[in-house]
Amino acid sequence: MTPADLSQAVQAAVSSAVEAGELAVTVPEHVAVDRPKNRDHGDYATNVALQLAKAAGKPPRAVAEVLAERLRGITGVAKVDIAGPGFLNITLDTATAGALARTIVEAGEAYGRNEALQGLKINLEFVSANPTGPIHIGGVRWAAVGDSLARVLRASGADVTTEYYLNDAGVQITKFAASLQAAANGREVPEGGYVGEYIVDIAKAITDVVPGLLDRSEDEQLQVFRTEGLKLMVAEIQRSMDEFGTHFDVWFSEKSLHDSGAVEQATTRLREQGHVFEQDGAVFLRTTDFGDDKDRVLIKADGDTTYFAADAAYYLSKRDRGTEVALYMLGADHHGYVNRLKAIAACAGDDMNHNIEVKIGQFVKMLRDGEEVRMSKRAGNIITIDDVVEWIGVDAARYTLARSSTDSTITLDINVLTSQTNENPVYYVQYAHTRMCGVARKAAELGVDKGTAEQFKPELLATTWENDILGALGEFPRVLATAGELREPHRVARYLEDLAGTYHRLYENCMFLPKGDEEMTDTHRARLWLVEATRTVMANGLTLLGVSAPERM
RNA sequence: GCGCUCAUAGCUCAACGGAUAGAGCACUUGACUACGGAUCAAGAGGUUGCAGGUUCGAAUCCUGCUGAGCGCACCA
């Protein structure tokens, strides 16, 4: 029995109590059934009596009494206690709890999937760093979190398109091109330009590919450096993302919005919605109608379109392509954009509380020798995605960056990253998985296995450690659903750490295989089912984080 | 000045409004002639920044204060 099953059963109990006239309340849509931290509180606990007490006009414990009697009648429920202010503590019979192992093994990779977001078309945009340099540590965080979030959302049934917005138009690209040109000609990088080894490398790559380039006019050179530089830089970013295991379904070009006329059309479309006005020769969008602190310019007095106009066109493009929810992941330095982006949606006639979501993530702070490393492109001390991968590898990097809430700034110690990588909890989790694989290998050596489903006797999974891990395994689908609904993939990582610890304790206390000349027993077989179930969940969880589930370490 | 986010163990971080606030690392002490010890057990470590409020119940929600990061362009 899964927690979801039990929740429904409790809900049904409330229903039947209402029908019998024992409770005068409306049946709640969802009944919370929790795995209590304290073992003495049973396998599962529900606060439903506390929630309904006021509406029922009875003390919580009296409501609990009514429900307890009905819950005791549910098949698989061994015991129901009323505790504290009115909690209902439910204990399952061992066979019912243990049967979950078989359910999981049979579901395999599908276990954990749920339909919380079934059919929802989500466009998830993340990283979107300017193609004027390598991805730095902040961008790496969004790559890890965003890619994992995409996987989590899909596991909840959402139809997700991942997207990288390439700011390949505008003055930053011109500065980038000018920097390349300067480097190729051995000149100083212009004011506000880009510096760094990569500039020199790319410049050289371009002059290698385009012979005689430096003999052409300055203007011609600049054009070549712009197009070729952009091409190479984007390819470089794509390579980094690819190596990082982060996949984007769409690489969306800002320039294409301008070239196709989509930016002008966006202004027209917004004007038709009645939120566009002109003032001082410029064209504005009245975003203040929807919570922005000032109206935003779409077309400047000199006739040029703004970056904001492209943002509007881009949003409309996402919607035109069938997106129901446009989900943006932005860094903390862009939080000021939230209101104006949401206002775009509202001005377009959309629901700004549903069709657009903006998730703001805090920065990554780097520490070296106990001191904060202030990164600046000019000083050339940027920590790039390739640096991090080189130090600790993709698995550890992704895990480290994805295991924390994006609401909190995280601090990474470079000394730790480059040396004592054992401090990374990912190894604790992965090691648990290798131990499960080790059990399977050992079983094969001994020539034994878990047997058929018919031979599986779930009632033999009776120790406290087995009960603990069954409880943890049952939580996986709801952890996933919550992570998807809240857009918080770090919950998956935390869950896996908890599961790994629970497994390590089981491993210490329960033998899965016969030792010496002992016989293989039904208990061994039942435990092999449990180990396989745990391995399945661990592997499924690691996959959601884009982290490998190794058989050996 | 206005706004967004944050403040939890020595450090890095968790905790859909639930019961005694949890892990990892670091520290102390133990555990392998059994499935891989990258493990486990025990100990120590907290006024959840401060003060009020909401309620059966607050780290969580509301208000104020303090402190930190970031943002407030006809820039991109």
Side-chain angles (χ1 to χ4, degrees), chain A residues 111-239:
Chain A
Y111 182 69
R113 294 188 60 88
N114 63 90
E115 301 184 343
L117 303 173
Q118 192 60 43
L120 184 64
K121 293 202 68 165
I122 300 177
N123 179 293
L124 176 60
E125 184 203 328
F126 58 107
V127 185
S128 296
N130 278 354
T132 55
I135 303 294
H136 70 287
I137 185 66
V140 188
R141 184 177 189 182
W142 311 136
V145 174
D147 186 66
S148 179
L149 178 57
R151 296 170 191 238
V152 167
L153 294 171
R154 287 182 180 125
S156 290
D159 177 0
V160 181
T161 299
T162 53
E163 199 151 316
Y164 188 119
Y165 186 51
L166 282 168
N167 300 118
D168 54 1
V171 303
Q172 292 308 316
I173 297 299
T174 303
K175 286 180 181 171
F176 174 62
S179 303
L180 292 172
Q181 184 178 13
N185 287 286
R187 300 195 296 252
E188 285 250 330
V189 171
E191 185 64 27
Y194 294 88
V195 293
E197 242 175 81
Y198 74 97
I199 290 289
V200 177
D201 293 344
I202 293 174
K204 182 172 187 317
I206 294 172
T207 51
D208 285 352
V209 174
V210 187
L213 174 59
L214 300 185
D215 300 329
R216 301 198 207 166
S217 75
E218 290 287 322
D219 283 355
E220 280 184 63
Q221 281 188 34
L222 190 63
Q223 277 311 310
V224 173
F225 279 113
R226 172 190 284 270
T227 55
E228 294 302 311
L230 192 58
K231 199 186 298 175
L232 289 171
M233 198 64 245
V234 170
E236 183 68 8
I237 289 171
Q238 289 178 330
R239 178 194 59 76

Side-chain angles (χ1 to χ4, degrees), chain A residues 378-401:
Chain A
R378 189 153 291 284
N381 66 343
I382 301 185
I383 291 162
T384 68
I385 184 168
D386 295 338
D387 291 334
V388 178
V389 169
E390 185 185 327
W391 292 336
I392 58 178
V394 172
D395 280 351
R398 288 189 62 127
Y399 193 90
T400 301
L401 295 167

